[in-house]
Amino acid sequence: MKLRRIRSMFSPSLPGTWRPLVCASAVAFAGVAAHAQSPKLVYPVTKKIAHTDTYFGTEVSDPYHWLEDDNAADTKAWVAQQNELTFGWLAKIPFRADVLTRIRAISNYAKYSAPFQKNGKVYFYKNDGLQNQSVLYVQQGLSGQPEVVLDPNTFSKDGTVKLESFHLSRNGRYAAVSKTAIPGTDWRDVQIMDMATRQMLPEVLHWIKFSDAQWRGDGFYYSRFPEPAKGAELSAQLLGMSVWFHKVGTAQSADTLVYEDKAHPEYFVDIGTTEDERFAALSVSSRKLRGNALLVRDETSSDKAFSPVVAELSEDSFDVVGNEGGRLLISTNRGAPNRKLASYDTATHAWSTVLPEQPHLLEYVTLAGGRLFATYLQDVSTHVQVHALDGKLLSSVALPAPGSAVGFAGEAQDAEVFYTFSAMNRPATLFRYDIAKASSEVFRAPEIPGFDPARYESRQVFFKSRDGTRVPMFIVHKKGLKLDGHNPTILYGYGGFNISLSPYFSPTRIAWLEQGGVFAMANLRGGGEYGEAWHEAGMRLNKQNVFDDCIAAAEYLIHEKITSPERLALQGGSNGGLLVGAVINQRPDLFKVALPQVGVMDMLRFQKFSAGSGWVSDYGSSDDATQFKYLLGYSPLHNLKTGGSYPATLVTTSDHDDRVVPAHSFKYAATLQERSSGSAPHLIRIETNSGHGSSNLSKALDEAADVYSFTWANMGITPTFARP
């Protein structure tokens, strides 16, 4: 089992996908245009309270600072007023109900996860179509009769409590069951299920975040934070993370402290165990650096101390993939910006290379069935190689087309692994890979009513950014679509935290495409598509490169007559929300619609909330004089101009977002409403009982319908759908 570095778990990425839709409407085109272009809205009055922060002699006004207190009565009243305006505006879109109807119809098909096996039993998740949460099943072998293990739809009345993870002990007797503690948040409660009776044991573990149970014998390791102050659960800075061991059948108060660093309460600490439970590996990371230190403990040794494998914190990362006896297999970017797989002998402390760095990014490595499955990204498409444990290349996995393949997980005795393949115009399909035969076959293929992949085409293009850098972008639309500059187009981007945007399929996106829409996804610098060099080119003092790439992507779409500024929308979530805010400040003329979702909009104060201090490694910090000046230069909140003409904007956030706290969106929306000119609407949609990603499917589809409806309405387009 790969021992995940914690940084990948708390970066401000948008979890899951939402993706929009629509249905038949007889309303005239003029009605939509009139609604979108009506006189400037009268927004709720947002009071201004004098507040100034001083950074290195520079005073920065923050009159909406009071909106940072999400528990204050005034903030709650403001949220209610803004939602009343927004949902009232959306309700007047004549085709909005049809949009939601279409979204739900196109999403209503069975969806399966890749199965995982334990002691002859096969586990998998399935959603029948429109269930708020997917259900966990178990069956004997691949052909057995499925039985329900856990149905998260029964966890809460509104379906917002998720089954976050399910980890079986080595002998399969127990399972650590992680559930959402507060709907929409990253907080988790962990219970233990007795697999013989399918009943929960009495103990419940609290205040867990960014951590999974890692089994050893009759207990497991996990990381937790101190209990936050009452009322500060969603916004308080995360400090004092520590590692504990819980023994099954005991209360959390009896857990054993394994590791803490009181001298550095800002450190994040994560722990994992190898499949054979011989090694416990401890990862320690600073919030200012991208890398991590790595310590290991041999559970078979009488010496229970953690020994350093990599003692110092640096920009280099080290992720344990697994072990072969006393040899640890570690994925690292030290001396290898595209990553390599190394071996560390715990007896001799000697390092050696198993899989050397290649010209393409080594995205991840899994260990199963006595094989190494190495997944590479080549121009953002997946290529998978199968190696012996000594690194010898044995074969490659033949994939159906350029696209994304994820999975290949398993245990040492497994004879097969499973993976999911998808592309922009190909639904996610499950494949079974026979290790001995080195061949794949379809295991489960989706059946989407009324959808024919042959009607759509996807292609990858490359364009040049401002400094001449060659940047890739995926474009998908209906076959035969006339590229005359009038096609409604959504440009999606992220560009940060070493996260790659691989081509993927979205069922809700079908509705946009079948109406003659175009979806474009740009692989901006700051992401991980081409390794650490690509990441570094878009982080800290290089962040403007990300915005330049996005602007160049928009200019390409316009130059190639795919769309025009009157038919182009810019969308991004989390770090991508920051992207949207910064780009429309710099080039509002390129876009008709802006869709910043759960965005990081205040670049001077992000590090003061929740896990925000962990983003300093990518953004820099206003606590540094040079970085402060740079951040102030592009911060979406601080660069809105009085009298500025901005695209129609729908800001989306949630009341329980403890990843990117909603104050970012609150302050940004209030400032945009105050300073913008013209009649384009600037609205904020605030979901309740939800978080950084939608807390259930119903909420996700509702938001998708509103986002698409808002976009079409402001482009003056009336979508029409043929009813079944």
Side-chain angles (χ1 to χ4, degrees):
M1 175 181 291
K2 182 174 180 179
L3 309 180
R4 300 167 58 196
R5 267 193 320 125
I6 193 166
R7 188 168 305 284
S8 65
M9 303 169 77
F10 68 75
S11 60
S13 55
L14 184 63
T17 54
W18 57 266
R19 323 310 179 206
L21 266 80
V22 177
C23 237
S25 174
V27 178
F29 175 94
V32 180
H35 178 51
Q37 298 176 9
S38 57
K40 187 174 181 179
L41 286 170
V42 177
Y43 299 106
V45 175
T46 305
K47 68 179 180 181
K48 300 174 75 172
I49 299 177
H51 180 96
T52 301
D53 293 313
T54 303
Y55 302 87
F56 308 100
T58 299
E59 292 188 349
V60 179
S61 177
D62 189 4
Y64 300 126
H65 179 89
W66 61 272
L67 285 169
E68 292 181 358
D69 185 355
D70 57 321
N71 290 313
D74 284 356
T75 303
K76 292 179 179 179
W78 182 88
V79 167
Q81 291 168 357
Q82 291 288 340
N83 268 346
E84 182 179 6
L85 173 68
T86 297
F87 286 106
W89 193 96
L90 292 169
K92 294 177 183 178
I93 299 176
F95 50 76
R96 181 192 182 204
D98 286 340
V99 174
L100 181 58
T101 298
R102 181 59 182 152
I103 286 178
R104 292 180 64 83
I106 206 73
S107 301
N108 191 11
Y109 65 95
K111 307 167 192 70
Y112 293 85
S113 74
F116 57 98
Q117 304 183 63
K118 193 76 164 180
N119 301 326
K121 294 182 178 179
V122 178
Y123 296 81
F124 63 93
Y125 292 90
K126 178 189 176 186
N127 190 307
D128 289 338
L130 294 177
Q131 291 175 287
N132 272 321
Q133 309 292 345
S134 295
V135 178
L136 177 63
Y137 293 87
V138 65
Q139 63 187 44
Q140 194 68 37
L142 293 177
S143 59
Q145 183 66 31
E147 300 176 6
V148 173
V149 178
L150 284 167
D151 182 356
N153 297 289
T154 66
F155 291 173
S156 59
K157 290 183 179 180
D158 62 356
T160 59
V161 175
K162 296 182 180 181
L163 172 58
E164 300 290 349
S165 65
F166 176 86
H167 290 288
L168 288 159
S169 61
R170 189 179 183 190
N171 59 12
R173 180 181 176 185
Y174 297 108
V177 177
S178 176
K179 301 178 182 179
T180 310
I182 303 173
T185 72
D186 288 324
W187 288 116
R188 308 287 179 255
D189 285 341
V190 174
Q191 294 176 271
I192 295 93
M193 174 179 274
D194 184 325
M195 295 306 296
T197 63
R198 305 271 176 89
Q199 298 298 309
M200 295 293 182
L201 300 185
E203 65 259 38
V204 182
L205 282 62
H206 303 289
W207 305 117
I208 298 169
K209 186 180 283 198
F210 312 134
S211 177
D212 286 327
Q214 297 289 314
W215 285 93
R216 180 178 67 80
D218 60 353
F220 54 82
Y221 295 103
Y222 69 99
S223 300
R224 60 158 293 178
F225 290 93
E227 181 177 351
K230 188 69 174 177
E233 295 89 348
L234 306 185
S235 59
Q237 275 194 292
L238 298 177
L239 299 171
M241 195 177 194
S242 53
V243 177
W244 297 77
F245 184 81
H246 176 78
K247 186 176 180 180
V248 172
T250 63
Q252 186 177 22
S253 59
D255 289 354
T256 303
L257 178 65
V258 175
Y259 181 89
E260 68 175 343
D261 188 341
K262 289 186 176 181
H264 298 95
E266 75 280 8
Y267 282 1
F268 287 105
V269 291
D270 190 25
I271 194 166
T273 54
T274 52
E275 181 188 331
D276 61 5
E277 298 185 3
R278 175 174 173 178
F279 292 102
L282 182 69
S283 173
V284 181
S285 57
S286 164
R287 307 186 189 207
K288 297 180 180 179
L289 300 170
R290 287 167 285 161
N292 63 296
L294 182 65
L295 301 90
V296 66
R297 179 163 78 183
D298 188 340
E299 303 286 10
T300 65
S301 171
S302 58
D303 184 1
K304 297 304 179 183
F306 281 91
S307 301
V309 176
V310 180
E312 74 284 0
L313 283 164
S314 71
E315 300 286 4
D316 300 328
S317 66
F318 301 86
D319 300 337
V320 176
V321 172
N323 70 305
E324 184 187 19
R327 185 173 70 115
L328 292 175
L329 298 171
I330 301 173
S331 173
T332 180
N333 64 350
R334 174 161 287 183
N338 288 334
R339 302 193 75 84
K340 66 182 180 182
L341 185 68
S343 170
Y344 175 80
D345 191 309
T346 57
T348 65
H349 310 299
W351 288 86
S352 60
T353 298
V354 180
L355 301 179
E357 182 186 22
Q358 293 194 16
H360 310 294
L361 172 69
L362 177 60
E363 193 171 27
Y364 60 89
V365 182
T366 55
L367 179 59
R371 298 288 188 267
L372 293 168
F373 292 84
T375 298
Y376 292 90
L377 274 190
Q378 184 173 341
D379 280 337
V380 206
S381 287
T382 300
H383 294 259
V384 182
Q385 297 178 356
V386 185
H387 297 259
L389 296 185
D390 62 4
K392 179 183 177 181
L393 178 62
L394 300 177
S395 62
S396 296
V397 178
L399 299 176
S404 302
V406 295
F408 304 99
E411 297 189 336
Q413 75 279 3
D414 288 348
E416 68 240 327
V417 292
F418 297 86
Y419 64 93
T420 302
F421 176 83
S422 67
M424 301 290 275
N425 60 339
R426 298 175 71 112
T429 301
L430 275 171
F431 287 83
R432 173 183 174 270
Y433 181 83
D434 187 302
I435 295 175
K437 295 179 181 179
S439 63
S440 296
E441 63 181 12
V442 174
F443 182 67
R444 283 191 175 118
E447 297 180 4
I448 305 178
F451 173 70
D452 180 5
R455 294 180 56 208
Y456 301 90
E457 63 177 271
S458 174
R459 67 187 187 277
Q460 186 181 41
V461 300
F462 294 87
F463 60 89
K464 286 189 176 181
S465 189
R466 182 178 181 179
D467 62 359
T469 298
R470 183 172 178 263
V471 182
M473 178 164 59
F474 290 94
I475 300 174
V476 61
H477 54 71
K478 288 176 69 173
K479 280 186 179 178
L481 183 70
K482 185 178 180 181
L483 303 181
D484 57 3
H486 297 297
N487 302 300
T489 300
I490 292 177
L491 171 60
Y492 187 90
Y494 185 78
F497 292 87
N498 206 24
I499 292 172
S500 302
L501 290 185
S502 300
Y504 67 95
F505 179 82
S506 165
T508 55
R509 189 191 299 143
I510 296 169
W512 178 261
L513 302 180
E514 64 189 7
Q515 292 296 307
V518 178
F519 183 84
M521 184 176 73
N523 298 107
L524 315 173
R525 281 176 285 183
E529 288 86 347
Y530 292 101
E532 194 57 44
W534 194 254
H535 177 207
E536 290 177 349
M539 57 178 281
R540 296 180 190 163
L541 300 182
N542 293 323
K543 191 67 175 178
Q544 182 59 41
N545 286 335
V546 185
F547 312 140
D548 288 343
D549 290 355
C550 185
I551 290 168
E555 291 175 333
Y556 174 91
L557 294 169
I558 294 167
H559 179 268
E560 295 298 314
K561 297 190 180 301
I562 294 171
T563 191
S564 68
E566 288 298 305
R567 292 291 175 89
L568 182 56
L570 180 60
Q571 181 188 27
S574 199
N575 175 71
L578 156 63
L579 169 76
V580 174
V583 168
I584 67 167
N585 280 347
Q586 296 179 18
R587 290 297 305 275
D589 58 302
L590 290 175
F591 306 97
K592 186 67 174 179
V593 175
L595 304 167
Q597 300 173 285
V598 291
V600 186
M601 314 307 269
D602 184 345
M603 298 308 297
L604 302 186
R605 291 179 56 78
F606 69 85
Q607 72 275 20
K608 300 183 181 298
F609 303 98
S610 188
S613 60
W615 314 335
V616 170
S617 62
D618 222 73
Y619 293 146
S621 169
S622 60
D623 297 329
D624 175 274
T626 301
Q627 293 171 354
F628 156 69
K629 185 176 180 180
Y630 191 80
L631 291 166
L632 182 62
Y634 74 76
S635 177
L637 172 65
H638 298 94
N639 287 277
L640 289 165
K641 297 178 176 61
T642 300
S645 179
Y646 296 101
T649 304
L650 180 62
V651 181
T652 57
T653 188
S654 298
D655 62 347
H656 284 178
D657 190 348
D658 61 341
R659 187 85 61 91
V660 179
V661 293
H664 283 278
S665 294
F666 292 175
K667 295 200 296 182
Y668 174 78
T671 306
L672 179 61
Q673 290 175 355
E674 173 201 350
R675 297 184 180 178
S676 63
S677 63
S679 60
H682 303 298
L683 303 173
I684 180 168
R685 182 189 189 279
I686 305 157
E687 185 60 81
T688 58
N689 222 26
S690 200
H692 200 57
S694 297
S695 55
N696 66 29
L697 181 61
S698 295
K699 290 180 181 293
L701 298 185
D702 286 348
E703 181 179 336
D706 286 345
V707 167
Y708 276 155
S709 297
F710 181 87
T711 302
W712 271 312
N714 282 283
M715 290 181 179
I717 294 172
T718 300
T720 57
F721 288 88
R723 295 184 184 275

PDB file of all heavy atoms in Angstrom, residues 292-306:
ATOM      1  N   ASN A 292       9.167  16.393   2.272  1.00  0.00           N
ATOM      2  CA  ASN A 292       8.909  15.798   3.580  1.00  0.00           C
ATOM      3  C   ASN A 292      10.113  15.015   4.067  1.00  0.00           C
ATOM      4  O   ASN A 292      10.930  14.527   3.272  1.00  0.00           O
ATOM      5  CB  ASN A 292       7.695  14.863   3.517  1.00  0.00           C
ATOM      6  CG  ASN A 292       7.912  13.675   2.599  1.00  0.00           C
ATOM      7  OD1 ASN A 292       8.078  13.836   1.384  1.00  0.00           O
ATOM      8  ND2 ASN A 292       7.896  12.479   3.150  1.00  0.00           N
ATOM      9  N   ALA A 293      10.224  14.928   5.383  1.00  0.00           N
ATOM     10  CA  ALA A 293      11.168  13.999   5.997  1.00  0.00           C
ATOM     11  C   ALA A 293      10.472  12.648   6.099  1.00  0.00           C
ATOM     12  O   ALA A 293       9.241  12.564   6.114  1.00  0.00           O
ATOM     13  CB  ALA A 293      11.581  14.500   7.374  1.00  0.00           C
ATOM     14  N   LEU A 294      11.262  11.567   6.177  1.00  0.00           N
ATOM     15  CA  LEU A 294      10.689  10.226   6.231  1.00  0.00           C
ATOM     16  C   LEU A 294      11.413   9.411   7.295  1.00  0.00           C
ATOM     17  O   LEU A 294      12.642   9.302   7.277  1.00  0.00           O
ATOM     18  CB  LEU A 294      10.803   9.539   4.866  1.00  0.00           C
ATOM     19  CG  LEU A 294      10.198   8.141   4.760  1.00  0.00           C
ATOM     20  CD1 LEU A 294       8.684   8.199   4.936  1.00  0.00           C
ATOM     21  CD2 LEU A 294      10.544   7.511   3.408  1.00  0.00           C
ATOM     22  N   LEU A 295      10.641   8.867   8.238  1.00  0.00           N
ATOM     23  CA  LEU A 295      11.188   8.021   9.293  1.00  0.00           C
ATOM     24  C   LEU A 295      10.473   6.680   9.248  1.00  0.00           C
ATOM     25  O   LEU A 295       9.303   6.598   8.844  1.00  0.00           O
ATOM     26  CB  LEU A 295      11.014   8.665  10.669  1.00  0.00           C
ATOM     27  CG  LEU A 295      11.663  10.043  10.885  1.00  0.00           C
ATOM     28  CD1 LEU A 295      10.683  11.150  10.505  1.00  0.00           C
ATOM     29  CD2 LEU A 295      12.102  10.218  12.333  1.00  0.00           C
ATOM     30  N   VAL A 296      11.155   5.634   9.685  1.00  0.00           N
ATOM     31  CA  VAL A 296      10.560   4.306   9.591  1.00  0.00           C
ATOM     32  C   VAL A 296      10.830   3.516  10.869  1.00  0.00           C
ATOM     33  O   VAL A 296      11.857   3.698  11.530  1.00  0.00           O
ATOM     34  CB  VAL A 296      11.102   3.556   8.356  1.00  0.00           C
ATOM     35  CG1 VAL A 296      12.591   3.248   8.493  1.00  0.00           C
ATOM     36  CG2 VAL A 296      10.308   2.293   8.089  1.00  0.00           C
ATOM     37  N   ARG A 297       9.879   2.651  11.216  1.00  0.00           N
ATOM     38  CA  ARG A 297      10.039   1.771  12.372  1.00  0.00           C
ATOM     39  C   ARG A 297       9.775   0.342  11.928  1.00  0.00           C
ATOM     40  O   ARG A 297       8.748   0.053  11.301  1.00  0.00           O
ATOM     41  CB  ARG A 297       9.048   2.172  13.473  1.00  0.00           C
ATOM     42  CG  ARG A 297       9.140   1.288  14.713  1.00  0.00           C
ATOM     43  CD  ARG A 297       8.474   1.929  15.907  1.00  0.00           C
ATOM     44  NE  ARG A 297       7.021   1.819  15.891  1.00  0.00           N
ATOM     45  CZ  ARG A 297       6.236   2.365  16.825  1.00  0.00           C
ATOM     46  NH1 ARG A 297       6.780   3.076  17.810  1.00  0.00           N
ATOM     47  NH2 ARG A 297       4.932   2.222  16.770  1.00  0.00           N
ATOM     48  N   ASP A 298      10.710  -0.542  12.248  1.00  0.00           N
ATOM     49  CA  ASP A 298      10.567  -1.972  11.941  1.00  0.00           C
ATOM     50  C   ASP A 298       9.831  -2.616  13.109  1.00  0.00           C
ATOM     51  O   ASP A 298      10.370  -2.740  14.216  1.00  0.00           O
ATOM     52  CB  ASP A 298      11.941  -2.605  11.738  1.00  0.00           C
ATOM     53  CG  ASP A 298      11.848  -4.045  11.227  1.00  0.00           C
ATOM     54  OD1 ASP A 298      10.780  -4.673  11.388  1.00  0.00           O
ATOM     55  OD2 ASP A 298      12.850  -4.542  10.685  1.00  0.00           O
ATOM     56  N   GLU A 299       8.587  -3.029  12.868  1.00  0.00           N
ATOM     57  CA  GLU A 299       7.762  -3.564  13.947  1.00  0.00           C
ATOM     58  C   GLU A 299       8.252  -4.916  14.448  1.00  0.00           C
ATOM     59  O   GLU A 299       7.838  -5.376  15.518  1.00  0.00           O
ATOM     60  CB  GLU A 299       6.305  -3.683  13.486  1.00  0.00           C
ATOM     61  CG  GLU A 299       5.684  -2.378  12.987  1.00  0.00           C
ATOM     62  CD  GLU A 299       5.346  -1.413  14.110  1.00  0.00           C
ATOM     63  OE1 GLU A 299       5.747  -1.649  15.262  1.00  0.00           O
ATOM     64  OE2 GLU A 299       4.668  -0.408  13.827  1.00  0.00           O
ATOM     65  N   THR A 300       9.142  -5.587  13.692  1.00  0.00           N
ATOM     66  CA  THR A 300       9.683  -6.882  14.130  1.00  0.00           C
ATOM     67  C   THR A 300      10.911  -6.712  15.007  1.00  0.00           C
ATOM     68  O   THR A 300      11.414  -7.688  15.568  1.00  0.00           O
ATOM     69  CB  THR A 300      10.057  -7.748  12.915  1.00  0.00           C
ATOM     70  OG1 THR A 300      11.136  -7.126  12.192  1.00  0.00           O
ATOM     71  CG2 THR A 300       8.864  -7.933  11.999  1.00  0.00           C
ATOM     72  N   SER A 301      11.391  -5.471  15.118  1.00  0.00           N
ATOM     73  CA  SER A 301      12.593  -5.201  15.907  1.00  0.00           C
ATOM     74  C   SER A 301      12.223  -4.860  17.347  1.00  0.00           C
ATOM     75  O   SER A 301      11.141  -4.337  17.628  1.00  0.00           O
ATOM     76  CB  SER A 301      13.381  -4.055  15.273  1.00  0.00           C
ATOM     77  OG  SER A 301      14.432  -3.640  16.119  1.00  0.00           O
ATOM     78  N   SER A 302      13.143  -5.133  18.248  1.00  0.00           N
ATOM     79  CA  SER A 302      12.929  -4.761  19.653  1.00  0.00           C
ATOM     80  C   SER A 302      13.059  -3.260  19.854  1.00  0.00           C
ATOM     81  O   SER A 302      12.556  -2.708  20.831  1.00  0.00           O
ATOM     82  CB  SER A 302      13.932  -5.497  20.548  1.00  0.00           C
ATOM     83  OG  SER A 302      15.266  -5.188  20.149  1.00  0.00           O
ATOM     84  N   ASP A 303      13.746  -2.611  18.922  1.00  0.00           N
ATOM     85  CA  ASP A 303      13.910  -1.161  18.976  1.00  0.00           C
ATOM     86  C   ASP A 303      12.687  -0.507  18.340  1.00  0.00           C
ATOM     87  O   ASP A 303      12.450  -0.621  17.136  1.00  0.00           O
ATOM     88  CB  ASP A 303      15.170  -0.746  18.223  1.00  0.00           C
ATOM     89  CG  ASP A 303      15.447   0.751  18.329  1.00  0.00           C
ATOM     90  OD1 ASP A 303      14.668   1.461  18.995  1.00  0.00           O
ATOM     91  OD2 ASP A 303      16.443   1.215  17.725  1.00  0.00           O
ATOM     92  N   LYS A 304      11.865   0.159  19.134  1.00  0.00           N
ATOM     93  CA  LYS A 304      10.621   0.730  18.647  1.00  0.00           C
ATOM     94  C   LYS A 304      10.759   2.190  18.225  1.00  0.00           C
ATOM     95  O   LYS A 304       9.769   2.843  17.905  1.00  0.00           O
ATOM     96  CB  LYS A 304       9.531   0.609  19.715  1.00  0.00           C
ATOM     97  CG  LYS A 304       9.186  -0.835  20.071  1.00  0.00           C
ATOM     98  CD  LYS A 304       8.778  -1.643  18.847  1.00  0.00           C
ATOM     99  CE  LYS A 304       8.453  -3.080  19.200  1.00  0.00           C
ATOM    100  NZ  LYS A 304       8.133  -3.893  17.994  1.00  0.00           N
ATOM    101  N   ALA A 305      11.981   2.695  18.192  1.00  0.00           N
ATOM    102  CA  ALA A 305      12.189   4.082  17.779  1.00  0.00           C
ATOM    103  C   ALA A 305      12.074   4.202  16.262  1.00  0.00           C
ATOM    104  O   ALA A 305      12.363   3.255  15.525  1.00  0.00           O
ATOM    105  CB  ALA A 305      13.562   4.565  18.238  1.00  0.00           C
ATOM    106  N   PHE A 306      11.661   5.367  15.815  1.00  0.00           N
ATOM    107  CA  PHE A 306      11.640   5.641  14.387  1.00  0.00           C
ATOM    108  C   PHE A 306      13.034   6.063  13.935  1.00  0.00           C
ATOM    109  O   PHE A 306      13.651   6.951  14.527  1.00  0.00           O
ATOM    110  CB  PHE A 306      10.636   6.755  14.063  1.00  0.00           C
ATOM    111  CG  PHE A 306       9.211   6.290  14.030  1.00  0.00           C
ATOM    112  CD1 PHE A 306       8.424   6.337  15.173  1.00  0.00           C
ATOM    113  CD2 PHE A 306       8.660   5.797  12.863  1.00  0.00           C
ATOM    114  CE1 PHE A 306       7.107   5.910  15.147  1.00  0.00           C
ATOM    115  CE2 PHE A 306       7.341   5.362  12.825  1.00  0.00           C
ATOM    116  CZ  PHE A 306       6.564   5.417  13.968  1.00  0.00           C
TER     117      PHE A 306
END
